[in-house]
Amino acid sequence: MKLLAPSILSADLSNLAQQIRLVEMSGADWIHCDIMDGHFVPNITFGPVVVKAVKKCTKLPLDVHLMIENPDLFLEDFRNAGADIISVHFEEVIHLNRTINRIKEIGAKAGVVINPSTPVSSLVDIAEYIDLLLIMTVNPGFGGQSFISNSERRIKEAVELRKSLKANFLIEVDGGISSKNISAISKAGCDVFVAGSSIFNSDNISAAATELKNLISK
């Protein structure tokens, strides 16, 4: 089953509850929360307080992507705020196996994120322990960027890695996802599709989310 995870990074935070309801009614499966600290990436978004508010607005799983330094210090905070999936960056975490185990211990699904320049093969020794692999298809830090063209190849590499290890993690993509490329990305083997600007910056949020959901369901 293919899953759509609208990213509230591009949503109108002053009208967040209504915008979340619109994507819920249009078939969204998860709500994606991009957490940025202005250090690991050159932007600042929001923290556990907003995640907690989002949790009150929806019964959908909250997919929390930590683009922050020292994420180990904040795992419990985001879990207590309502995170169902917590993903950390391969490039930031030194003792990744320990971090993945800790995320699971506190009751969340555990994901690892890789930047566009990080080889998929880097995950060979952690892949069998994770629930989610998030492949960044733009350089993290800002919404509205263009999809990096070699990302489809990287998705296929992740599919092969999963197969070779007999692992069962989901493959997620984030960055530049739109109706123009989502079908090809799905065909490459992606399971979860994060979309922000293409949904929340559209004239009709419901229609945009419905279109993406229909395209990945074919």
Side-chain angles (χ1 to χ4, degrees), residues 165-206:
L165 295 174
K166 297 181 180 179
N168 60 3
F169 58 84
L170 295 175
I171 299 170
E172 182 176 35
V173 293
D174 183 358
I177 309 303
S178 71
S179 59
K180 295 179 180 179
N181 58 24
I182 197 168
S183 294
I185 296 166
S186 179
K187 186 177 180 180
C190 182
D191 303 301
V192 186
F193 304 78
V194 177
S197 300
S198 61
I199 292 176
F200 291 108
N201 290 350
S202 66
D203 294 331
N204 188 321
I205 291 172
S206 293

Side-chain angles (χ1 to χ4, degrees), residues 3-191:
L3 306 176
L4 181 64
S7 169
I8 61 169
L9 177 64
S10 299
D12 177 1
L13 294 182
S14 68
N15 199 22
L16 188 56
Q18 183 184 27
Q19 298 210 335
I20 288 175
R21 282 196 294 272
L22 289 174
V23 296
E24 281 182 326
M25 292 186 296
S26 303
D29 301 286
W30 296 353
I31 298 296
H32 188 82
C33 303
D34 287 303
I35 312 300
M36 306 181 191
D37 64 355
H39 296 283
F40 181 70
V41 293
N43 197 6
I44 297 174
T45 54
F46 46 82
V49 172
V50 172
V51 173
K52 186 175 182 179
V54 173
K55 191 67 174 181
K56 294 178 180 179
C57 297
T58 182
K59 293 183 179 180
L60 295 180
L62 299 191
D63 177 27
V64 175
H65 173 194
L66 299 183
M67 289 174 271
I68 62 176
E69 292 183 350
N70 300 313
D72 295 271
L73 300 177
F74 304 98
L75 299 177
E76 284 82 359
D77 291 336
F78 282 102
R79 174 57 181 159
N80 291 338
D84 297 287
I85 307 110
I86 300 176
S87 296
V88 297
H89 270 262
F90 176 88
E91 300 84 7
E92 172 63 21
V93 179
I94 297 174
H95 302 292
L96 188 55
N97 190 278
R98 179 187 299 164
T99 301
I100 293 302
N101 287 338
R102 182 57 185 156
I103 293 171
K104 292 183 177 183
E105 286 171 0
I106 60 177
K109 298 289 186 181
V112 171
V113 192
I114 53 173
N115 285 336
S117 62
T118 300
V120 173
S121 59
S122 301
L123 297 170
V124 65
D125 290 319
I126 194 67
E128 61 195 288
Y129 303 106
I130 63 177
D131 300 300
L132 181 74
L133 168 58
L134 172 49
I135 299 174
M136 292 302 300
T137 46
V138 299
N139 288 292
F142 297 94
Q145 298 182 67
S146 298
F147 183 82
I148 295 175
S149 59
N150 72 349
S151 299
E152 287 183 37
R153 172 179 56 77
R154 288 161 56 77
I155 295 165
K156 293 175 183 177
E157 290 174 359
V159 171
E160 288 302 314
L161 177 65
R162 180 171 62 187
K163 182 179 179 181
S164 67
L165 295 174
K166 297 181 180 179
N168 60 3
F169 58 84
L170 295 175
I171 299 170
E172 182 176 35
V173 293
D174 183 358
I177 309 303
S178 71
S179 59
K180 295 179 180 179
N181 58 24
I182 197 168
S183 294
I185 296 166
S186 179
K187 186 177 180 180
C190 182
D191 303 301

